[in-house]
Amino acid sequence: AEQDNMNCKEHHLPELEVDAGQVREALQCVLHTILFIRSPGQVTPQDVHCEGLNITYTRIASGDDPASLQGRGLSSPLDGGIDRKVDT
């Protein structure tokens, strides 16, 4: 569902139910999609297919300048944070 508030749009997503083994893929899908859409600069898209969820999402290509991506807190630091949360 989408709602307009002045100059800001709010998007409310339905609850996503996944098995414990699919949590990592689900988090990667949602967070990488948000980062790709909200990226402040020009980035190269990369489609990733999640076998467990049977969906394809777009993320920032890992071939983009890694120093630039890590400097903006993107890509592998995000995956590392997901791994730490899922593994606890």
Side-chain angles (χ1 to χ4, degrees):
E2 191 175 303
Q3 181 180 0
D4 285 325
N5 291 329
M6 302 287 279
N7 295 329
C8 170
K9 280 190 179 181
E10 290 183 24
H11 299 276
H12 298 275
L13 302 175
E15 188 172 316
L16 179 63
E17 293 185 33
V18 296
D19 293 332
Q22 296 174 318
V23 171
R24 180 176 282 110
E25 273 189 322
L27 285 172
Q28 287 174 330
C29 175
V30 171
L31 296 176
H32 278 291
T33 298
I34 291 169
L35 287 175
F36 175 75
I37 291 169
R38 303 285 299 169
S39 176
Q42 185 175 4
V43 295
T44 305
Q46 174 185 358
D47 288 339
V48 178
H49 184 73
C50 293
E51 293 294 329
L53 301 173
N54 196 27
I55 59 170
T56 300
Y57 68 93
T58 302
R59 66 176 283 168
I60 297 171
S62 57
D64 275 356
D65 179 17
S68 171
L69 291 177
Q70 288 184 2
R72 289 187 274 169
L74 305 176
S75 195
S76 61
L78 175 64
D79 291 330
I82 290 171
D83 289 341
R84 283 189 299 281
K85 283 293 186 187
V86 171
D87 292 338
T88 56

